[in-house]
Amino acid sequence: MPPRHQPPEALLATLSTERGRSDRLTHTEHLPAREARYAPWPTAIRTEIVAAAAELGVGLPWEHQAEAMDLAKTGQSVVIATGTASGKSLGYLAPVLSDLLDGTEAPNGRGATALYLAPTKALAADQRRRAAELVPPRVRVALYDGDTPPEEREWVRQYASYVLTNPDMLHRGILPAHPRWSTFLKALKYVVVDECHSYRGVFGSHVAQVLRRLRRLAARYGASPTFLLASATTAEPAVTARRLTGVPATAVTDDASPRGPMVFALWEPPLTENVGEHGAPVRRTATAEAGYLLTDLVEAGTRTVVFVRSRRAAELVALQAQDQLGSPLAARVAAYRGGYLAEERRALERELHSGRLLGLASTSALELGVDVSGLDAVLLAGYPGTRASLWQQAGRAGREAQGALAVLIARDDPLDTYLVHHPEALFANPVEATVLDPDNPHVLAPHLCAAAAELPLTDSDLELFGPSTTQLLPVLERRGLLRRRPDGSWYWTRRERAADRVDLRGSGGSPVQIVEADTGRLLGTVDAAASHTTVHTGAVHLHQGRTYLVRDLDLDSSVALVALADPPYTTSARDITSISVLSTDTTEEWGEATLSFGSVEVVNQVVGYLRKRIATGEILGESKLDLPPRTLRTRAVWWSVTEDQLLDADIPLDLLPGAAHAAEHASIGLLPLFATCDRWDIGGVSVPLHPDTGLPTVFVYDGHSGGAGFAERGFRRAVEWLTATRDAISACECERGCPSCVQSPKCGNGNDPLDKAAAVRLLDILLAGAPRLQETPSGAKAPSGAKAPSGAKAPNGQDTGANDAPDGDDARGGSDAPDPSGAPDPSGDAVGTGKSGGADAAPAAPGATAGPAAPDPAGPGTG
């Protein structure tokens, strides 16, 4: 059955009114069509490129494409930050390929080279195809990634003009072997950084340092490449581009591409007859609801992609739709996610391009620019964490005059519930700025080692790598990693490769291989940081629609042995967490209360897991686990209130733990509205009496070693953030608290205790003393009055210098810890409490030491 194009209004009517689901539709936004604006081809673009574009149906470029081409040809670094399907690729490909064509006229046939970086292999493969369509064969375009056969790699190094790779391969394969790439680097004219908004948090900070290493080696061979970046619509793209690359960039943001009309629906799944923890009402999960909607759309012949928040959810949505559709349509639905083997990914991409697949459940892998033209509908099973990602995913549907339908299906959590009832937060607010911190010492230190191994560091390199470099080099020397020679240069001292000490996307440590015990077949891998929560002994694991039980997790060998099974339950890990303040950078007085930002140490241990019935979420039992604790040093925002404020808020001591715990859960859920993160990137702990502050305190921390900038963004926008938190709790219709307001799917304490009403009173008394919002010149609102104390002291009177170790009296309890595997739905989609991107087994800050955490005699904290 060929795909049938229907107007988006008709598709939405099919899903809602005709199926008796109209009560689930909370808002419909109609986005009008936009006319295209064209410009002449810049004269500097080669006629061969213009002719090839014409054969592909591009007679004239859009205005923003022509602007980017002009800037690039004059040697200016550019960031193109326009909407999905706005032709960003042509904007950078035309100048790059024109110069590469010029280079073919050099005596060696390679007078100019270019390097393309994509966050995913699929995107790089897609871009190779696009480049080949625009340029004659004498410009040699080649992929260079982990799937490139060894016999092809030498050819790429010696002859390719346009090399498409990813940051991981640049970091591990190209930069350490730069002498073998010398002729390529000597002629390097352009570096293209595609989908640069995806480089955020610790991953983005790592990539920023990789790009600085690239610039350093290119300069060694006499090159100074122009950077061309492509991004989804994002706030402050020029600032983000400079932070990422270290060079000034001009932003091109006026989108002149045509856009068909879009109907964007906000959808809230219904309440079920089931109850969750402590009798809380439970809504149908977003993944289950997406499975029903995908089934209806595929039956109607509508090409649809469902974006989900986790690998497991991708499998579940596809499996549900296949079961409901039956033969033959079931064969036209599949899952697409990371963790598949290369041949599986390539086969799915081919089937998607050919149109054989009618429905696809995907993680964010397909968000990042892979050509999926021809889609009529996009379902988002849960808010993707940022408005930038929301529009990037929604924009995968619809081309030019073709209408498109996008549906955001709310998960049963505070942020999603808030958004589907506050559409202005999505449609009336600008997208977020990308958060990254290249100066994070946990990120910078290993890259300094890698850079020194590539080429000895000298004083001239200090400015390139950032202000912390001067302080870190002596620390690395004391650790025996670097050595300073009499000429003042720093050398790498070890035999092993320095680059192998850095995991750009994870926490370090070898990925855990998931192996079928009976056959020895490798099913996939999981980050070491995620292994404690996702593939612990007894965990349920899904792969390609099949269910496995983990027989054994061998941490020493980094192997999880699994066996096919059909259990009637899913599993979710439980943990305990302690947190201590290492240093306080900045403090604001909110009346009697205080808001602080600084460094903390978090000790987390997975101690067991729950088994939950798939259909209802009913808890069937709990099993203990004996896994080692993991230590994380990171950045946090925290707030404390006084006893007098508790009296004013009518919160007696017996209600305080539940009030603080509920406020912590909701604040974690709402922070993604103000920072480019989601709740699985951050963690939290609430303590009725914390020994470092001497007061009731709520912490929210980055789930990445050294911090990722999320907690700092929360501190800077605390008034707006905590006001939205208070409003979300108050507006929820439940009586005592539910997953839509204060319950968390990753709570290490089993969502106990929680007191919804007391949490509202607690936040009211906190916000009563908050600084008023002030208008900034740009029209944004920001609180006033932050102060950064020098030699700041914690409320207990101890100095909190940068390298102070905790005093050992740590609050101990359950946590809302970050999870690297994505955010599954709370009713059985593999909830976890692991760490994200470096949260587990993280190294201590350079030069800092810490003793083991001890239980808090004042009582446990909750998370």
Side-chain angles (χ1 to χ4, degrees), residues 50-254:
V50 175
E55 290 184 9
L56 295 173
V58 180
L60 290 173
W62 295 315
E63 288 180 357
H64 67 272
Q65 293 173 318
E67 180 186 358
M69 295 175 198
D70 278 327
L71 290 167
K73 289 295 289 182
T74 60
Q76 297 184 58
S77 291
V78 181
V79 54
I80 311 171
T82 52
T84 308
S86 61
K88 292 186 286 288
S89 296
L90 183 62
Y92 60 73
L93 275 173
V96 168
L97 297 179
S98 289
D99 279 333
L100 296 185
L101 269 173
D102 291 342
T104 62
E105 297 163 4
N108 66 352
R110 193 167 74 160
T113 61
L115 186 69
Y116 169 93
L117 296 176
T120 65
K121 293 179 182 178
L123 180 54
D126 189 71
Q127 285 295 308
R128 180 191 187 183
R129 178 182 58 82
R130 294 189 187 189
E133 292 173 342
L134 284 170
V135 73
R138 67 180 186 270
V139 173
R140 296 180 286 269
V141 181
L143 281 173
Y144 191 83
D145 60 26
D147 297 334
T148 304
E151 60 272 15
E152 291 184 20
R153 296 189 179 191
E154 183 61 30
W155 183 91
V156 174
R157 285 190 287 265
Q158 294 298 323
Y159 301 109
S161 302
Y162 189 35
V163 174
L164 301 102
T165 187
N166 52 66
D168 312 79
M169 200 67 178
L170 176 61
H171 159 64
R172 291 184 183 273
I174 297 177
L175 298 182
H178 66 89
R180 303 177 69 185
W181 288 84
S182 58
T183 58
F184 180 89
L185 293 171
K186 183 178 181 179
L188 186 63
K189 187 158 188 179
Y190 290 105
V191 176
V192 178
V193 185
D194 206 355
E195 304 292 353
C196 67
H197 64 280
S198 66
Y199 300 122
R200 61 178 176 84
V202 167
F203 177 45
S205 302
H206 276 299
V207 173
Q209 290 299 344
V210 171
L211 293 178
R212 283 156 176 78
R213 287 163 50 202
L214 172 63
R215 287 173 51 211
R216 176 173 177 259
L217 291 177
R220 163 68 175 79
Y221 293 103
S224 179
T226 297
F227 281 82
L228 306 180
L229 302 95
S231 171
T233 304
T234 181
E236 302 175 338
V239 174
T240 299
R242 180 163 190 166
R243 190 174 294 134
L244 184 63
T245 65
V247 299
T250 302
V252 174
T253 58
D254 186 9

Side-chain angles (χ1 to χ4, degrees), residues 280-364:
V282 174
R283 292 189 183 276
R284 180 180 292 155
T285 69
T287 50
E289 191 79 349
Y292 287 116
L293 298 184
L294 177 61
T295 301
D296 291 346
L297 289 168
V298 170
E299 285 181 336
T302 303
R303 288 188 62 182
T304 307
V305 164
V306 183
F307 284 105
V308 296
R309 304 299 310 284
S310 71
R311 296 176 175 186
R312 186 180 186 86
E315 299 278 3
L316 287 173
V317 169
L319 190 60
Q320 179 183 344
Q322 290 165 351
D323 287 344
Q324 292 172 353
L325 287 166
S327 182
L329 280 178
R332 303 187 69 183
V333 175
Y336 184 98
R337 63 170 177 80
Y340 284 178
L341 301 179
E343 55 269 24
E344 293 176 315
R345 294 196 307 270
R346 297 294 177 261
L348 287 169
E349 290 160 18
R350 287 193 300 269
E351 291 177 349
L352 183 63
H353 284 300
S354 70
R356 195 199 73 79
L357 282 177
L358 202 53
L360 195 68
S362 173
T363 59
S364 61

Side-chain angles (χ1 to χ4, degrees), residues 271-276 282-285 288 292 316 320 567-570 611-620 826-829:
L271 289 169
T272 66
E273 297 178 355
N274 304 317
V275 294
V282 174
R283 292 189 183 276
R284 180 180 292 155
T285 69
Y292 287 116
L316 287 173
Q320 179 183 344
Y569 59 83
T570 60
R611 297 183 299 281
K612 295 183 178 181
R613 192 181 301 278
I614 294 174
T616 65
E618 175 189 354
I619 296 174
L620 302 177
S827 67
D829 292 350

